[in-house]
Amino acid sequence: MSQGFSEDNDMSRGSENTDDEPPKWLSFRSLLVFSMFLRVFLIVYGEWQDANMEVRYTDVDYIVFSDAASLMASGESPYKRTTYRYSPLLALLLTPNSFFHRSFGKFLFSASDLLVGWFIHTILKERKVPEKICTYSVMVWLFNPFTFTIGTRGNCEPIVCAMVLWIIISLMRGNLSQAALWYGLVVHFRVYPIIYALPIILVLDSQVFRSGQKPPLEDWNTGQAKTPTSNTEKKTFLFSLFTALKSLFSRERIMFALVSGGVFLACNAVSFYFYGHEFLHEALLYHLTRTDPRHNFSIYFYHIYLHYERQFSALEKLISFLPQFTVQFALVSCFWQDLVFCIFLQTVAFVAFNKVITAQYFVWFYCLLPLILPWSRMKLKWEGLLCIILWIGAQTHWLLWGYMLEFKGLNVFLQLWVAGLLFLAANTFVLVKIIQRHRFSPLFRRYESSPPKHVKKLH
Amino acid sequence: MATQLRRSLLTLIFICWAISSTSSDQVGTSYGDSDQIRSLCISDRFIMESYFTTTHTSLDDSEFRNFLLHQQCSSDKIPSEHDPNIVPATSLIQHRNVTGEGSHRNLLTSIKLLPLYLEFQLQELVILERLPLGVFADPFELQSIQQRRVFSDVSVFGDTNLELPSFRSNRSVVEIHVEVSPRDYENGEISLKLPLHARYQPLDDSGYSRVEFGEPDLFLCSSHVQNHQHEQRRCLVLSIGRSKTETRSVFWDIPAGIRGHTEYVSALTFAAAVLSAISILVASVLSSKVESCKNSKQS
């Protein structure tokens, strides 16, 4: 967590305080170069470990991707590989594994991981966050042990994260068609970003997006100065939501929906053309209907296992979906204007309330965390540390019981389920704390009756 | 003449040895009790491949025995043209056990081959592990074992879905090929370690579900010639395993969900989800109201 970035630093608007600049060795470029070497080292080390130790460094999923890519390269369906449940695009991206080197995919994922760092820096700079805070925020991603191992072990989530951040950048620059194209693609690639549809549509306000003009951004300094210098909507959130819904069918929104929907359908149509129902079932329907009775972080796993001998009724499925739906609706309703914060909260909540939770899902919100830290009033000591300790502690507690079940063969299903409840409690606590300590800052400013002078025209 | 004398002498030695053997782990059988299936002629690389390419989609022990009966070689291909009372070769399962802890264990089997008449064209020991419902072998894990030359060939047939619980899955069979040389007969045991993984078990009030292992089927086959796909391979039946071992049972107790937990686990799960959702909802609404008040005051 941040050290209370918004309160502990004298960040008045237009300040040229040299304390804003990090030391040269800690510049963004040097961080990026160091991160790159770290990832290359880990990939090379991973190859050594795989060849010489019984426990492999490489993720099992990477072997699945590589096998699927190999099948595709030889003209067969990637879905012949059991447990390959991704878009054919992923297998296509990894076909060089077959004829170039088996580690090509790891380099691709790690490059995406570095790109996420670059995009985080770009987004924060465009919102005029001081360089020092930008650097620390980027470090939260680049030096998070979870994130630098996930790409080097061969997990594809960094590609999805990079796409999501690029969509945010495109929106910030007013490139709606590009944002829509990538949005359609990322939903095809990984279904979960569909939850961002509503807040994205809501921010596409014609009072913000004008043809040929970059939308005015609410920058970081605005709230710091504690004087109302922006045209932020000051009405209640319900009124804002009502206003947004009133003009739901604006030109920008319709265009975004059509382009993203069209890209999504086109990708699915092409995939279906080549791979038929196998693609539909494995890459799409499986994720929409997945219920796994095997132990995972979700509070639902034991409930699903105890009922697995009989099917759930439609009513039971609907009832179990209600908490997820309620939370998503509440978060969007309250925070859609602060788009980045909204999608961060949505992602955390989506993962926490999902029927299946695996550790790789955490990357989905790890990439958004650095983007909200500069607006957090939470101090590392001790509130931030408390949140970190509670969240990691709850995970560790679950892992302990998971170890007892899986590696010692003890019947600890009940204890494991209780650990899942505690993990949900920790997620809820952290989420509530983040909400309470967040300095609400809409991503875009609305135009006055005439556009402000400082808005740049796109060339 | 000298050859016949040697064979008779070896037969006598074998009979004496069989009578005097006192090993408590000896659980093997000779093919004599296995419905008189003596040899097979198959055209596929794997015996089980032939089984699953016919109408069979799941493993059934009695259907499998019928299948073997139909794969018998025609009389002119019986390996031994000599006295049918002479057993060409046989095997003994010396030891069988499940080792390890937790959901990932190893099935250890030690096999002793006893040559009386060695058909030198039969160079491959084929072991069919018909796994009980409740456990599975990971085909990709076995592939990497094969790449380390532990087995000359290995494949999994039947239900290879690794994710389904046992009550939604079918049985699977692991066919392992091990090259044998005359030295294996002299040196004694051939040891096999097959990694297995537990599926989620049906609910049980005791909290554990017992999975019992039978005996493997053992064959001695000619080596598969890569390019000669239609050439039949000859396999001598050494042993058709029983569904349960004769002397000491080999079993694995796997944790299972307890039916008695169902009601309160479901109720508390839903309650926890609702409580968390309400907490987040209240925090969101309050936070939005606070921001609205702040903005109103500033204006």
Side-chain angles (χ1 to χ4, degrees):
Chain A
M1 290 294 173
S2 69
Q3 285 184 313
F5 284 143
S6 50
E7 285 186 357
D8 288 355
N9 300 284
D10 180 13
M11 295 299 174
S12 56
R13 193 178 187 181
S15 163
E16 292 182 358
N17 191 341
T18 51
D19 286 344
D20 294 351
E21 298 292 325
K24 278 190 179 169
W25 61 271
L26 203 60
S27 69
F28 175 66
R29 278 187 197 278
S30 55
L31 285 179
L32 211 57
V33 169
F34 177 78
S35 301
M36 183 184 71
F37 280 114
L38 173 64
R39 282 149 177 80
V40 169
F41 167 76
L42 286 173
I43 291 171
V44 171
Y45 166 76
E47 291 293 303
W48 176 86
Q49 181 169 327
D50 288 353
N52 294 286
M53 294 172 71
E54 200 169 333
V55 176
R56 298 172 68 102
Y57 181 84
T58 302
D59 198 326
V60 168
D61 278 349
Y62 187 72
I63 299 167
V64 174
F65 304 154
S66 296
D67 291 345
S70 172
L71 285 165
M72 187 185 252
S74 52
E76 296 182 68
S77 166
Y79 299 103
K80 280 190 177 174
R81 178 43 162 103
T82 55
T83 71
Y84 181 74
R85 298 201 170 97
Y86 301 87
S87 164
L89 280 176
L90 179 61
L92 185 66
L93 282 174
L94 262 59
T95 44
N97 275 19
S98 309
F99 53 81
F100 185 55
H101 192 275
R102 63 174 178 266
S103 296
F104 170 83
K106 292 183 184 179
F107 282 99
L108 180 67
F109 300 149
S110 297
S112 304
D113 174 5
L114 294 172
L115 202 58
V116 168
W118 183 285
F119 288 163
I120 290 169
H121 189 259
T122 303
I123 290 169
L124 295 178
K125 290 303 288 182
E126 294 218 2
R127 296 191 75 184
K128 298 188 175 49
V129 175
E131 185 65 31
K132 192 176 180 182
I133 299 175
C134 278
T135 303
Y136 288 138
S137 297
V138 167
M139 284 169 71
V140 168
W141 169 261
L142 288 178
F143 297 142
N144 183 335
F146 190 84
T147 54
F148 62 65
T149 52
I150 206 163
T152 55
R153 291 186 66 216
N155 194 290
C156 70
E157 302 299 345
I159 289 186
V160 181
C161 295
M163 288 162 79
V164 169
L165 294 191
W166 181 248
I167 290 164
I168 296 171
I169 292 172
S170 299
L171 288 171
M172 288 167 67
R173 293 176 177 173
N175 298 330
L176 292 191
S177 48
Q178 198 175 141
L181 187 145
W182 284 99
Y183 185 67
L185 192 62
V186 80
V187 175
H188 162 78
F189 201 82
R190 216 68 170 106
V191 182
Y192 87 89
I194 193 68
I195 63 175
Y196 306 152
L198 187 55
I200 290 176
I201 287 290
L202 287 174
V203 295
L204 295 181
D205 193 334
S206 47
Q207 293 296 313
V208 172
F209 289 87
R210 290 187 179 176
S211 178
Q213 291 179 353
K214 183 181 171 184
L217 300 176
E218 187 86 13
D219 63 30
W220 183 83
N221 290 318
T222 306
Q224 296 299 320
K226 296 193 170 94
T227 52
T229 55
S230 73
N231 295 322
T232 308
E233 182 63 55
K234 295 181 174 58
K235 299 180 179 61
T236 63
F237 78 94
L238 276 176
F239 187 87
S240 303
L241 183 63
F242 176 71
T243 310
L245 290 173
K246 229 174 39 173
S247 57
L248 191 61
F249 298 102
S250 67
R251 182 180 159 274
E252 292 80 17
R253 288 172 176 143
I254 291 172
M255 189 273 288
F256 188 92
L258 285 176
V259 172
S260 58
V263 169
F264 174 74
L265 289 173
C267 290
N268 287 344
V270 170
S271 303
F272 182 77
Y273 174 77
F274 284 106
Y275 305 112
H277 286 99
E278 259 188 325
F279 153 72
L280 269 184
H281 178 75
E282 298 291 343
L284 282 180
L285 297 177
Y286 171 82
H287 298 289
L288 293 173
T289 58
R290 182 182 182 187
T291 53
D292 198 335
R294 294 173 299 167
H295 54 284
N296 61 86
F297 290 113
S298 173
I299 59 170
Y300 293 103
F301 96 86
Y302 198 24
H303 164 75
I304 292 169
Y305 177 26
L306 292 170
H307 288 87
Y308 214 71
E309 288 174 342
R310 68 164 185 87
Q311 297 285 350
F312 285 116
S313 66
L315 181 65
E316 282 169 325
K317 287 179 185 174
L318 187 65
I319 290 171
S320 62
F321 184 63
L322 271 177
Q324 174 78 277
F325 179 79
T326 307
V327 167
Q328 292 295 318
F329 183 76
L331 293 173
V332 172
S333 304
C334 296
F335 302 113
W336 61 272
Q337 289 175 307
D338 191 345
L339 180 67
V340 179
F341 185 62
C342 180
I343 66 176
F344 169 79
L345 294 178
Q346 281 188 274
T347 313
V348 176
F350 179 78
V351 171
F353 285 91
N354 206 26
K355 297 285 188 316
V356 178
I357 304 173
T358 61
Q360 71 185 74
Y361 296 174
F362 300 157
V363 188
W364 299 347
F365 53 77
Y366 279 160
C367 67
L368 299 170
L369 177 64
L371 300 177
I372 66 152
L373 285 179
W375 283 266
S376 179
R377 298 185 202 97
M378 190 182 296
K379 294 183 182 167
L380 191 62
K381 291 180 183 179
W382 295 99
E383 205 169 19
L385 271 178
L386 177 65
C387 289
I388 293 171
I389 288 167
L390 274 178
W391 195 76
I392 293 177
Q395 256 188 77
T396 308
H397 175 241
W398 187 96
L399 289 169
L400 178 71
W401 292 113
Y403 174 80
M404 291 291 178
L405 173 67
E406 192 162 339
F407 295 100
K408 292 296 178 187
L410 300 174
N411 186 320
V412 292
F413 284 111
L414 206 60
Q415 293 92 323
L416 199 52
W417 166 71
V418 170
L421 294 180
L422 291 175
F423 185 58
L424 177 65
N427 274 295
T428 305
F429 177 83
V430 170
L431 211 55
V432 165
K433 280 292 169 195
I434 289 174
I435 290 170
Q436 288 173 344
R437 295 290 178 261
H438 181 71
R439 179 168 60 83
F440 183 84
S441 174
L443 184 59
F444 302 109
R445 279 187 292 118
R446 293 165 73 87
Y447 282 111
E448 303 287 356
S449 53
S450 58
K453 288 178 186 174
H454 65 267
V455 171
K456 293 178 190 172
K457 284 191 177 180
L458 288 172
H459 296 286
Chain B
M1 179 70 180
T3 311
Q4 266 191 316
L5 186 63
R6 189 183 71 186
R7 284 176 186 155
S8 301
L9 191 62
L10 285 171
T11 308
L12 187 62
I13 293 170
F14 167 69
I15 292 166
C16 293
W17 182 91
I19 292 169
S20 65
S21 175
T22 55
S23 166
S24 61
D25 288 330
Q26 181 180 322
V27 293
T29 60
S30 72
Y31 78 81
D33 347 311
S34 52
D35 301 320
Q36 300 178 9
I37 305 168
R38 300 171 69 182
S39 65
L40 308 179
C41 284
I42 57 168
S43 52
D44 292 308
R45 187 170 161 196
F46 294 97
I47 296 173
M48 292 311 296
E49 198 171 351
S50 303
Y51 177 80
F52 280 99
T53 52
T54 57
T55 54
H56 306 99
T57 53
S58 62
L59 181 66
D60 178 85
D61 288 342
S62 57
E63 279 183 19
F64 181 64
R65 284 172 204 272
N66 288 336
F67 163 78
L68 290 179
L69 273 171
H70 286 106
Q71 303 305 308
Q72 285 193 95
C73 298
S74 52
S75 58
D76 60 353
K77 288 187 179 173
I78 291 176
S80 174
E81 292 173 353
H82 304 281
D83 186 353
N85 291 321
I86 294 175
V87 175
T90 190
S91 63
L92 287 170
I93 297 174
Q94 294 278 81
H95 183 70
R96 194 155 163 84
N97 198 10
V98 174
T99 61
E101 287 183 303
S103 303
H104 314 286
R105 301 195 184 187
N106 295 297
L107 179 62
L108 293 181
T109 310
S110 295
I111 301 165
K112 190 171 180 64
L113 289 177
L114 302 172
L116 300 169
Y117 161 69
L118 184 60
E119 172 86 18
F120 284 103
Q121 284 88 344
L122 303 177
Q123 294 168 342
E124 203 168 61
L125 178 66
V126 175
I127 304 103
L128 294 186
E129 282 288 359
R130 285 174 284 130
L131 298 178
L133 211 56
V135 297
F136 66 93
D138 184 345
F140 304 102
E141 183 181 19
L142 294 180
Q143 259 179 22
S144 69
I145 291 175
Q146 185 194 341
Q147 284 164 5
R148 296 203 305 267
R149 307 266 183 216
V150 176
F151 308 135
S152 62
D153 219 338
V154 63
S155 191
V156 184
F157 298 91
D159 194 337
T160 54
N161 188 321
L162 313 180
E163 297 173 338
L164 289 176
S166 67
F167 41 91
R168 291 272 181 96
S169 61
N170 292 308
R171 291 175 66 189
S172 58
V173 182
V174 182
E175 182 168 333
I176 303 167
H177 295 192
V178 177
E179 281 178 6
V180 292
S181 62
R183 215 168 34 171
D184 290 312
Y185 290 90
E186 293 161 14
N187 293 346
E189 295 176 7
I190 296 171
S191 294
L192 296 170
K193 189 163 98 170
L194 179 64
L196 296 176
H197 311 276
R199 292 188 185 278
Y200 261 50
Q201 301 298 303
L203 304 181
D204 194 293
D205 289 333
S206 69
Y208 290 88
S209 173
R210 176 162 287 193
V211 170
E212 286 202 48
F213 292 84
E215 298 165 5
D217 306 326
L218 301 175
F219 306 86
L220 204 55
C221 297
S222 56
S223 298
H224 175 75
V225 181
Q226 201 70 17
N227 296 324
H228 295 181
Q229 287 182 0
H230 299 292
E231 181 177 311
Q232 289 208 321
R233 297 177 68 201
R234 291 188 326 200
C235 290
L236 188 68
V237 179
L238 300 179
S239 167
I240 300 292
R242 296 198 175 92
S243 57
K244 291 188 180 188
T245 53
E246 225 174 16
T247 54
R248 189 171 61 109
S249 59
V250 179
F251 60 86
W252 180 355
D253 287 328
I254 302 171
I258 297 174
R259 204 179 300 275
H261 292 167
T262 307
E263 283 184 14
Y264 68 80
V265 163
S266 299
L268 288 174
T269 299
F270 186 65
V274 167
L275 199 62
S276 294
I278 290 172
S279 306
I280 295 169
L281 174 67
V282 167
S284 303
V285 170
L286 286 177
S287 172
S288 298
K289 282 191 174 169
V290 164
E291 290 295 338
S292 297
C293 289
K294 277 186 189 171
N295 291 331
S296 302
K297 282 179 188 172
Q298 285 167 3
S299 63

